[in-house]
mmCIF file of all heavy atoms in Angstrom:
data_model
loop_
_atom_site.group_PDB
_atom_site.id
_atom_site.type_symbol
_atom_site.label_atom_id
_atom_site.label_comp_id
_atom_site.label_asym_id
_atom_site.label_seq_id
_atom_site.Cartn_x
_atom_site.Cartn_y
_atom_site.Cartn_z
ATOM 1 N N ASN B 167 64.721 -33.685 -10.066
ATOM 2 C CA ASN B 167 65.886 -32.838 -9.831
ATOM 3 C C ASN B 167 67.145 -33.560 -10.307
ATOM 4 O O ASN B 167 67.722 -34.369 -9.587
ATOM 5 C CB ASN B 167 65.988 -32.501 -8.335
ATOM 6 C CG ASN B 167 67.132 -31.549 -8.031
ATOM 7 O OD1 ASN B 167 67.941 -31.246 -8.906
ATOM 8 N ND2 ASN B 167 67.204 -31.095 -6.808
ATOM 9 N N GLU B 168 67.538 -33.237 -11.525
ATOM 10 C CA GLU B 168 68.673 -33.929 -12.134
ATOM 11 C C GLU B 168 69.969 -33.723 -11.354
ATOM 12 O O GLU B 168 70.763 -34.644 -11.190
ATOM 13 C CB GLU B 168 68.873 -33.405 -13.555
ATOM 14 C CG GLU B 168 68.503 -34.389 -14.623
ATOM 15 C CD GLU B 168 68.850 -33.863 -16.003
ATOM 16 O OE1 GLU B 168 70.030 -33.917 -16.388
ATOM 17 O OE2 GLU B 168 67.932 -33.397 -16.670
ATOM 18 N N ASP B 169 70.155 -32.499 -10.859
ATOM 19 C CA ASP B 169 71.366 -32.171 -10.096
ATOM 20 C C ASP B 169 71.561 -33.134 -8.939
ATOM 21 O O ASP B 169 72.654 -33.620 -8.675
ATOM 22 C CB ASP B 169 71.249 -30.756 -9.511
ATOM 23 C CG ASP B 169 71.671 -29.713 -10.518
ATOM 24 O OD1 ASP B 169 72.341 -30.094 -11.491
ATOM 25 O OD2 ASP B 169 71.317 -28.542 -10.332
ATOM 26 N N MET B 170 70.446 -33.374 -8.245
ATOM 27 C CA MET B 170 70.510 -34.219 -7.057
ATOM 28 C C MET B 170 70.870 -35.646 -7.435
ATOM 29 O O MET B 170 71.628 -36.308 -6.727
ATOM 30 C CB MET B 170 69.144 -34.143 -6.362
ATOM 31 C CG MET B 170 68.957 -35.089 -5.238
ATOM 32 S SD MET B 170 68.074 -36.535 -5.819
ATOM 33 C CE MET B 170 67.437 -37.113 -4.261
ATOM 34 N N VAL B 171 70.362 -36.119 -8.572
ATOM 35 C CA VAL B 171 70.653 -37.486 -8.997
ATOM 36 C C VAL B 171 72.138 -37.624 -9.326
ATOM 37 O O VAL B 171 72.790 -38.591 -8.949
ATOM 38 C CB VAL B 171 69.783 -37.855 -10.213
ATOM 39 C CG1 VAL B 171 70.167 -39.213 -10.760
ATOM 40 C CG2 VAL B 171 68.332 -37.853 -9.814
ATOM 41 N N ARG B 172 72.663 -36.612 -10.021
ATOM 42 C CA ARG B 172 74.082 -36.637 -10.369
ATOM 43 C C ARG B 172 74.927 -36.636 -9.092
ATOM 44 O O ARG B 172 75.923 -37.327 -8.992
ATOM 45 C CB ARG B 172 74.407 -35.431 -11.239
ATOM 46 C CG ARG B 172 75.473 -35.731 -12.261
ATOM 47 C CD ARG B 172 75.633 -34.599 -13.248
ATOM 48 N NE ARG B 172 74.581 -34.523 -14.220
ATOM 49 C CZ ARG B 172 73.825 -33.451 -14.426
ATOM 50 N NH1 ARG B 172 74.007 -32.373 -13.718
ATOM 51 N NH2 ARG B 172 72.896 -33.460 -15.335
ATOM 52 N N ALA B 173 74.474 -35.844 -8.109
ATOM 53 C CA ALA B 173 75.218 -35.759 -6.854
ATOM 54 C C ALA B 173 75.128 -37.056 -6.062
ATOM 55 O O ALA B 173 75.878 -37.265 -5.125
ATOM 56 C CB ALA B 173 74.715 -34.590 -6.027
ATOM 57 N N SER B 174 74.162 -37.913 -6.411
ATOM 58 C CA SER B 174 74.052 -39.198 -5.725
ATOM 59 C C SER B 174 74.780 -40.281 -6.502
ATOM 60 O O SER B 174 74.455 -41.458 -6.384
ATOM 61 C CB SER B 174 72.588 -39.580 -5.543
ATOM 62 O OG SER B 174 71.931 -38.608 -4.794
ATOM 63 N N SER B 175 75.718 -39.867 -7.318
ATOM 64 C CA SER B 175 76.582 -40.762 -8.090
ATOM 65 C C SER B 175 75.797 -41.718 -8.977
ATOM 66 O O SER B 175 76.101 -42.896 -9.058
ATOM 67 C CB SER B 175 77.546 -41.525 -7.181
ATOM 68 O OG SER B 175 76.897 -42.559 -6.524
ATOM 69 N N ILE B 176 74.786 -41.164 -9.642
ATOM 70 C CA ILE B 176 74.024 -41.960 -10.599
ATOM 71 C C ILE B 176 74.200 -41.323 -11.974
ATOM 72 O O ILE B 176 74.134 -40.103 -12.110
ATOM 73 C CB ILE B 176 72.530 -41.987 -10.206
ATOM 74 C CG1 ILE B 176 72.368 -42.754 -8.897
ATOM 75 C CG2 ILE B 176 71.687 -42.625 -11.303
ATOM 76 C CD1 ILE B 176 71.174 -42.349 -8.109
ATOM 77 N N ASP B 177 74.419 -42.151 -12.981
ATOM 78 C CA ASP B 177 74.630 -41.650 -14.334
ATOM 79 C C ASP B 177 73.284 -41.253 -14.939
ATOM 80 O O ASP B 177 72.486 -42.104 -15.324
ATOM 81 C CB ASP B 177 75.298 -42.743 -15.173
ATOM 82 C CG ASP B 177 75.625 -42.256 -16.564
ATOM 83 O OD1 ASP B 177 75.397 -41.068 -16.829
ATOM 84 O OD2 ASP B 177 76.098 -43.060 -17.373
ATOM 85 N N VAL B 178 73.039 -39.944 -15.007
ATOM 86 C CA VAL B 178 71.742 -39.447 -15.462
ATOM 87 C C VAL B 178 71.432 -39.903 -16.889
ATOM 88 O O VAL B 178 70.297 -40.233 -17.216
ATOM 89 C CB VAL B 178 71.697 -37.911 -15.369
ATOM 90 C CG1 VAL B 178 70.413 -37.372 -15.941
ATOM 91 C CG2 VAL B 178 71.843 -37.468 -13.933
ATOM 92 N N HIS B 179 72.454 -39.956 -17.722
ATOM 93 C CA HIS B 179 72.239 -40.344 -19.113
ATOM 94 C C HIS B 179 71.662 -41.758 -19.230
ATOM 95 O O HIS B 179 70.660 -41.976 -19.902
ATOM 96 C CB HIS B 179 73.551 -40.257 -19.902
ATOM 97 C CG HIS B 179 73.966 -38.850 -20.172
ATOM 98 N ND1 HIS B 179 75.127 -38.515 -20.796
ATOM 99 C CD2 HIS B 179 73.352 -37.675 -19.884
ATOM 100 C CE1 HIS B 179 75.214 -37.201 -20.900
ATOM 101 N NE2 HIS B 179 74.160 -36.666 -20.337
ATOM 102 N N SER B 180 72.280 -42.700 -18.528
ATOM 103 C CA SER B 180 71.783 -44.078 -18.610
ATOM 104 C C SER B 180 70.360 -44.168 -18.073
ATOM 105 O O SER B 180 69.533 -44.905 -18.617
ATOM 106 C CB SER B 180 72.665 -45.034 -17.806
ATOM 107 O OG SER B 180 73.975 -44.617 -17.809
ATOM 108 N N VAL B 181 70.097 -43.428 -16.993
ATOM 109 C CA VAL B 181 68.755 -43.474 -16.403
ATOM 110 C C VAL B 181 67.717 -42.995 -17.414
ATOM 111 O O VAL B 181 66.670 -43.621 -17.596
ATOM 112 C CB VAL B 181 68.702 -42.618 -15.119
ATOM 113 C CG1 VAL B 181 67.276 -42.493 -14.628
ATOM 114 C CG2 VAL B 181 69.577 -43.216 -14.040
ATOM 115 N N LYS B 182 68.033 -41.907 -18.105
ATOM 116 C CA LYS B 182 67.082 -41.365 -19.088
ATOM 117 C C LYS B 182 66.858 -42.336 -20.236
ATOM 118 O O LYS B 182 65.727 -42.546 -20.675
ATOM 119 C CB LYS B 182 67.618 -40.051 -19.654
ATOM 120 C CG LYS B 182 67.319 -38.863 -18.780
ATOM 121 C CD LYS B 182 67.657 -37.602 -19.537
ATOM 122 C CE LYS B 182 67.384 -36.397 -18.670
ATOM 123 N NZ LYS B 182 67.935 -35.192 -19.274
ATOM 124 N N ILE B 183 67.951 -42.921 -20.718
ATOM 125 C CA ILE B 183 67.834 -43.860 -21.842
ATOM 126 C C ILE B 183 66.969 -45.053 -21.435
ATOM 127 O O ILE B 183 66.058 -45.462 -22.149
ATOM 128 C CB ILE B 183 69.235 -44.330 -22.303
ATOM 129 C CG1 ILE B 183 70.007 -43.146 -22.879
ATOM 130 C CG2 ILE B 183 69.130 -45.449 -23.324
ATOM 131 C CD1 ILE B 183 71.468 -43.423 -23.152
ATOM 132 N N LEU B 184 67.226 -45.560 -20.226
ATOM 133 C CA LEU B 184 66.451 -46.700 -19.742
ATOM 134 C C LEU B 184 64.969 -46.340 -19.627
ATOM 135 O O LEU B 184 64.095 -47.105 -20.044
ATOM 136 C CB LEU B 184 66.996 -47.150 -18.373
ATOM 137 C CG LEU B 184 66.232 -48.311 -17.764
ATOM 138 C CD1 LEU B 184 66.524 -49.588 -18.535
ATOM 139 C CD2 LEU B 184 66.586 -48.502 -16.296
ATOM 140 N N ALA B 185 64.687 -45.157 -19.073
ATOM 141 C CA ALA B 185 63.303 -44.750 -18.884
ATOM 142 C C ALA B 185 62.585 -44.648 -20.225
ATOM 143 O O ALA B 185 61.438 -45.101 -20.365
ATOM 144 C CB ALA B 185 63.239 -43.416 -18.155
ATOM 145 N N LEU B 186 63.250 -44.088 -21.223
ATOM 146 C CA LEU B 186 62.625 -43.959 -22.543
ATOM 147 C C LEU B 186 62.431 -45.334 -23.178
ATOM 148 O O LEU B 186 61.442 -45.579 -23.870
ATOM 149 C CB LEU B 186 63.476 -43.064 -23.446
ATOM 150 C CG LEU B 186 63.426 -41.578 -23.072
ATOM 151 C CD1 LEU B 186 64.416 -40.782 -23.889
ATOM 152 C CD2 LEU B 186 62.024 -41.031 -23.258
ATOM 153 N N ALA B 187 63.363 -46.255 -22.922
ATOM 154 C CA ALA B 187 63.223 -47.609 -23.447
ATOM 155 C C ALA B 187 61.997 -48.281 -22.841
ATOM 156 O O ALA B 187 61.189 -48.891 -23.554
ATOM 157 C CB ALA B 187 64.480 -48.418 -23.152
ATOM 158 N N VAL B 188 61.837 -48.140 -21.516
ATOM 159 C CA VAL B 188 60.690 -48.758 -20.843
ATOM 160 C C VAL B 188 59.390 -48.151 -21.374
ATOM 161 O O VAL B 188 58.436 -48.863 -21.719
ATOM 162 C CB VAL B 188 60.789 -48.556 -19.311
ATOM 163 C CG1 VAL B 188 59.503 -48.980 -18.630
ATOM 164 C CG2 VAL B 188 61.971 -49.329 -18.754
ATOM 165 N N SER B 189 59.365 -46.826 -21.460
ATOM 166 C CA SER B 189 58.169 -46.127 -21.926
ATOM 167 C C SER B 189 57.779 -46.594 -23.330
ATOM 168 O O SER B 189 56.630 -46.939 -23.599
ATOM 169 C CB SER B 189 58.430 -44.621 -21.896
ATOM 170 O OG SER B 189 57.650 -43.951 -22.839
ATOM 171 N N ASN B 190 58.761 -46.635 -24.225
ATOM 172 C CA ASN B 190 58.442 -46.978 -25.611
ATOM 173 C C ASN B 190 58.154 -48.455 -25.804
ATOM 174 O O ASN B 190 57.451 -48.831 -26.738
ATOM 175 C CB ASN B 190 59.573 -46.525 -26.538
ATOM 176 C CG ASN B 190 59.471 -45.047 -26.831
ATOM 177 O OD1 ASN B 190 58.502 -44.604 -27.424
ATOM 178 N ND2 ASN B 190 60.431 -44.284 -26.372
ATOM 179 N N SER B 191 58.675 -49.309 -24.919
ATOM 180 C CA SER B 191 58.324 -50.718 -25.084
ATOM 181 C C SER B 191 56.873 -50.944 -24.669
ATOM 182 O O SER B 191 56.175 -51.776 -25.270
ATOM 183 C CB SER B 191 59.280 -51.638 -24.315
ATOM 184 O OG SER B 191 59.356 -51.266 -22.988
#
Side-chain angles (χ1 to χ4, degrees):
Chain B
N167 184 352
E168 251 186 79
D169 276 343
M170 172 263 202
V171 174
R172 214 171 285 124
S174 300
S175 77
I176 293 154
D177 184 4
V178 175
H179 287 177
S180 328
V181 171
K182 277 190 181 169
I183 294 170
L184 178 71
L186 288 173
V188 170
S189 153
N190 280 297
S191 54

